[in-house]
Amino acid sequence: MAGGAQERSPLLHLVAGGCGGTVGAIFTCPLEVIKTRLQSSKLAFRAVYYPQVQLGTISAEGMVRQTAVSPGLIRVLKSILEKEGPRSLFRGLGPNLVGVAPSRAVYFGCYSKAKEQFNHLFVPNSNLVHICSAGSAAFITNSLMNPIWMVKTRMQLERRVRGSKQMNALQCTRYVYRTEGIRGFYRGLTASYAGISETIICFAIYESLKKHVNDIQLAPSPAGGSERSSTNFLGLMVAAAVAKGCASCIAYPHEVIRTRLREEGTKYKTFIQTARLVAREEGYLAFYRGLFAQLVRQIPNTAIVLSTYELIVYLLEDRVK
């Protein structure tokens, strides 16, 4: 690639990733709010807010015991609309929009640079290179962006009575700092580090599928170039969707643990302690609350971001050749 193209490509990747991430964040924000509420401990144990969740049963000893039943996506959506209004479906959108562009830029920049370095250490473009690159990029991105995601999660968990005023992002930031200090902004970071496994799995599968997509050769036609480009673009979207879907299903429990750690004034203190507590009190199925909302939100979003990234790189390389 020519020198001028190399200088322009980081800016183009930043703009493309930022725009794609921003649009995706806006359209998928309601699903993210629902997913976060489903992950929260307050959904299962606060009978006032979700009275239909609590079922009283009689144990063998004659004692009344409360059994938590997790509601579905539609029920949570309906409850938010009825009790809080449509605006609550966009809680945390401000921090999301502030963080999405720089986080995409940091991630793709670190991934590209790490891939370049690891290609000199291991077999070029091997699965080991992709795994190490994705893990390194995710570690750096999570460390830098955790305060923003912490504020976003806290805002999404805040419930309100219809018509009442809620904290904005700045007020929420000040409140966290005043009540918990700097350390408060890094709650859930250990769970985010555990979630690096999802990123590694996603990119390992994606890079493997991308090789097969790039190996597809179409028969020559009058519009061969554009046809090949559109087919590869669609193939990359499918590859990204499959990779993200598999990774989310495998590594999803860390998201539930991370949300619990970010709740205000709860009994959840550390990653291992939270995992044990959730498993003991709610069962292992609790680790998959909100998975459907996550898949509906993340799969198309990831497919758009990754395929757009690849398309811009392809178009840039094609123009300078």
Side-chain angles (χ1 to χ4, degrees), residues 44-275:
F45 298 114
R46 181 172 291 182
V48 175
Y49 188 73
Y50 288 106
Q52 68 270 33
V53 174
Q54 302 290 350
L55 301 178
T57 59
I58 305 299
S59 65
E61 294 79 8
M63 300 293 291
V64 177
R65 183 182 61 203
Q66 293 296 321
T67 302
V69 178
S70 178
L73 185 152
I74 301 299
R75 187 180 297 178
V76 176
L77 172 63
K78 183 179 178 181
S79 182
I80 292 175
L81 290 175
E82 289 178 351
K83 298 179 182 296
E84 304 177 49
R87 291 185 61 182
S88 286
L89 291 173
F90 291 89
R91 294 292 296 158
L93 180 58
N96 214 359
L97 294 180
V98 170
V100 68
S103 68
R104 296 293 184 189
V106 170
Y107 183 85
F108 282 114
C110 292
Y111 181 78
S112 177
K113 191 65 178 178
K115 191 175 178 181
E116 180 183 323
Q117 297 298 320
F118 284 121
N119 273 335
H120 294 301
L121 298 176
F122 308 116
V123 178
N125 296 317
S126 62
N127 282 334
L128 183 58
V129 169
H130 299 148
I131 289 173
C132 292
S133 301
S136 301
F139 181 85
I140 294 172
T141 304
N142 288 338
S143 300
L144 293 175
M145 304 304 298
N146 196 80
I148 294 178
W149 305 144
M150 163 63 185
V151 172
K152 179 194 71 173
T153 302
R154 206 44 95 68
M155 291 179 68
Q156 290 175 341
L157 290 175
E158 183 187 6
R159 295 177 170 87
R160 73 182 181 107
V161 178
R162 184 186 287 270
S164 64
K165 189 176 181 180
Q166 290 177 299
M167 290 189 295
N168 57 36
L170 184 58
Q171 291 170 333
C172 185
T173 302
R174 288 174 176 171
Y175 179 77
V176 172
Y177 178 74
R178 187 173 66 251
T179 56
E180 303 176 50
I182 294 295
R183 291 184 62 182
F185 292 104
Y186 290 91
R187 292 182 64 174
L189 183 57
T190 52
S192 292
Y193 286 152
I196 291 175
S197 59
E198 179 179 341
T199 304
I200 291 174
I201 294 169
C202 178
F203 268 80
I205 296 175
Y206 174 69
E207 292 285 0
S208 178
L209 293 176
K210 190 173 75 172
K211 288 180 182 178
H212 294 291
V213 172
N214 291 335
D215 287 341
I216 296 175
Q217 297 293 330
L218 299 178
S221 63
S226 60
E227 186 178 345
R228 184 178 296 108
S229 176
S230 60
T231 302
N232 284 356
F233 180 71
L234 179 61
L236 291 173
M237 288 192 70
V238 173
V242 171
K244 187 62 180 179
C246 293
S248 293
C249 290
I250 294 171
Y252 185 77
H254 87 274
E255 293 218 15
V256 175
I257 296 174
R258 183 174 60 195
T259 296
R260 299 296 178 91
L261 287 170
R262 288 175 177 172
E263 290 178 355
E264 181 183 3
T266 62
K267 55 194 171 184
Y268 306 110
K269 305 301 179 184
T270 65
F271 183 87
I272 299 298
Q273 178 257 356
T274 301

